[in-house]
Amino acid sequence: MPSNYHHGNLRAELLTAAEKKLRESGPDQISLRELARETGVSHNAPHRHFPDRQSLLEALAVAGFERLREEIDGAVGGARDDFGQRLRAAAGAFVRFAVDETALLELMFSLAKAEGAKDVAEAADPVYTAFADLIEGGQESGELRSDDPSRLKLLMIATFQGIASLAGTGRVSEAEADVLLDDAVQLFLGAGTIAR
Amino acid sequence: MPSNYHHGNLRAELLTAAEKKLRESGPDQISLRELARETGVSHNAPHRHFPDRQSLLEALAVAGFERLREEIDGAVGGARDDFGQRLRAAAGAFVRFAVDETALLELMFSLAKAEGAKDVAEAADPVYTAFADLIEGGQESGELRSDDPSRLKLLMIATFQGIASLAGTGRVSEAEADVLLDDAVQLFLGAGTIAR
DNA sequence: ACCTGAACACCGTTCAAGT
DNA sequence: ACCTGAACACCGTTCAAGT
């Protein structure tokens, strides 16, 4: 039953190969035909799993958001039961992802806003929700001030997003990003000055 | 002297057409052959100005950074002679650019980090320098605390970058981005709480 | 359902040639 | 210097066909 009809997980194999290519050479270098060649199927076999090139990219983005979500959740779960620690862990996981998977994250954000890619936007949602829930929890427990919850929440997300962007594009090193994250969390927790 | 050899500003015309295409359809839809067709030259004429597709994209990014720099400088110059106002104006110009030229800014950042594109990285530098100089000026005049200049500076740049990213990808509206900018500036100026 | 093979239009890039 | 025209290899996409 190995059957010349391939193993049945062609879709997964294509995605893995595409992710590798994305990491090494960027999204422009992802070619359906080349992926098919590498996977040992006809140039047309991928079409059954991904109707066009765009849908392959979207699938990559969806999987990326799912993985990012898992890593944020994992980091939060592994942190001490203290709001500052959990927030720091979540943001740290985000920045780590931005450094390790720069091209993928770029693709993810790029498609999440694209008109056509509804599924990508849906996959992106839980990531923002994860941050939002965490922050709202801190506000409810009083660990974070809550003069205007939604504004503070957005500002925090923006800041983490910005640090991830700087780190992802190499404008700050990972060590500098860690310091930035510490400073940002401390600032938001209202600990006073930014730098000790 | 109109000469069938085209007008002499083929390069500029190609860039303009490419920018339009980028805005309307994204970078993937930029095709040298199509630009040549639209401009009324042979499919090979662009090659004299841009040796390959990548160099056209890099030229777009370089021009983009130059324009962004000009708009930031213009905004700062037009603001009141008060650090908070000038900072707010600079960040506002940045966010406006992110909203109006989302695809271009995405391309700019993407190429500024790319290994090969040294000229793009060089064009990007003045933009960061503009923010850095502004912030350092505020620290020197005492309008901005300076416990640790470089850390605060990076955190501010990251925050503005994040707000621009949220606004550019449509995750916040332009009005929300304005509020975010106000909050961020107020926070950094140490005015106390984030929300009044 | 899943894959193959041929065909079409398009693209980037290169080369030889024209003015 | 700047542009043309032909040629090459590659690509995404579609269609008819095989199992």
Side-chain angles (χ1 to χ4, degrees):
Chain A
M1 75 181 40
S3 100
N4 232 346
Y5 265 15
H6 213 264
H7 17 54
N9 56 342
L10 175 58
R11 193 193 136 95
E13 208 169 319
L14 287 170
L15 281 177
T16 307
E19 240 180 289
K20 187 181 165 208
K21 195 78 187 174
L22 173 62
R23 210 180 342 251
E24 293 170 355
S25 319
D28 296 353
Q29 297 306 313
I30 294 180
S31 143
L32 287 180
R33 283 177 110 109
E34 190 182 345
L35 292 177
R37 242 178 281 127
E38 288 174 10
T39 321
V41 294
S42 91
H43 72 268
N44 230 338
H47 185 261
R48 291 289 128 182
H49 300 281
F50 306 103
D52 53 21
R53 201 186 103 100
Q54 182 65 14
S55 77
L56 170 71
L57 297 181
E58 290 176 13
L60 279 179
V62 168
F65 274 118
E66 285 165 0
R67 216 174 85 217
L68 174 55
R69 205 266 160 88
E70 285 166 17
E71 294 189 7
I72 291 173
D73 284 351
V76 171
R80 284 209 332 245
D81 192 30
D82 161 60
F83 175 66
Q85 298 287 327
R86 293 206 312 279
L87 182 63
R88 178 63 178 78
F94 183 35
V95 169
R96 218 174 308 120
F97 192 94
V99 170
D100 294 342
E101 302 282 7
T102 308
L104 176 58
L105 189 64
E106 209 173 304
L107 180 72
M108 286 157 58
F109 283 139
S110 172
L111 294 185
K113 118 204 118 181
E115 320 70 39
K118 217 185 92 184
D119 47 343
V120 180
E122 278 171 18
D125 225 53
V127 170
Y128 297 104
T129 309
F131 273 104
D133 287 351
L134 182 57
I135 294 169
E136 283 164 18
Q139 288 172 329
E140 280 166 21
S141 71
E143 291 167 289
L144 185 67
R145 65 195 156 194
S146 53
D147 327 300
D148 191 324
S150 90
R151 280 163 68 177
L152 179 57
K153 191 174 70 185
L154 275 180
L155 185 56
M156 293 174 75
I157 289 176
T159 302
F160 294 144
Q161 167 83 30
I163 295 172
S165 175
L166 290 187
T169 57
R171 253 136 53 219
V172 302
S173 70
E174 232 179 313
E176 286 173 311
D178 272 334
V179 175
L180 276 175
L181 285 173
D182 289 337
D183 287 348
V185 169
Q186 230 181 336
L187 176 65
F188 289 127
L189 289 182
T193 58
I194 285 182
R196 256 165 313 108
Chain B
M1 76 181 43
S3 98
N4 231 347
Y5 265 14
H6 213 265
H7 16 56
N9 56 343
L10 176 57
R11 192 193 137 95
E13 208 169 317
L14 288 170
L15 280 178
T16 307
E19 240 179 291
K20 187 181 165 211
K21 196 79 187 172
L22 173 62
R23 211 179 343 252
E24 292 170 357
S25 318
D28 297 352
Q29 298 305 314
I30 295 180
S31 141
L32 287 179
R33 283 178 108 108
E34 190 182 344
L35 293 177
R37 241 178 282 130
E38 288 174 11
T39 320
V41 294
S42 90
H43 72 267
N44 229 337
H47 185 262
R48 289 291 127 183
H49 301 281
F50 306 103
D52 54 20
R53 203 185 101 100
Q54 182 65 13
S55 77
L56 170 71
L57 297 181
E58 290 175 13
L60 279 177
V62 168
F65 274 118
E66 284 164 0
R67 216 175 85 218
L68 174 56
R69 204 263 162 88
E70 284 165 16
E71 294 189 7
I72 290 174
D73 284 352
V76 171
R80 283 206 335 244
D81 191 31
D82 161 59
F83 174 66
Q85 298 287 327
R86 293 206 312 279
L87 182 63
R88 178 63 177 77
F94 182 35
V95 169
R96 218 175 309 119
F97 192 93
V99 170
D100 294 342
E101 301 283 8
T102 308
L104 177 58
L105 189 63
E106 210 173 304
L107 180 72
M108 286 157 59
F109 283 141
S110 172
L111 293 185
K113 120 203 117 180
E115 320 71 36
K118 216 186 93 183
D119 48 343
V120 180
E122 277 171 18
D125 225 55
V127 171
Y128 296 104
T129 308
F131 273 104
D133 287 351
L134 182 58
I135 293 169
E136 283 164 18
Q139 287 172 330
E140 280 167 21
S141 72
E143 289 167 290
L144 185 67
R145 66 194 155 193
S146 53
D147 327 300
D148 190 325
S150 90
R151 279 163 70 178
L152 179 57
K153 191 175 71 186
L154 275 180
L155 186 57
M156 293 174 74
I157 289 176
T159 302
F160 295 145
Q161 166 82 33
I163 295 172
S165 174
L166 290 185
T169 57
R171 254 136 50 217
V172 304
S173 70
E174 232 178 314
E176 287 174 310
D178 273 335
V179 175
L180 275 175
L181 285 173
D182 289 337
D183 287 349
V185 169
Q186 230 182 335
L187 177 65
F188 289 128
L189 289 182
T193 57
I194 285 182
R196 259 165 312 110

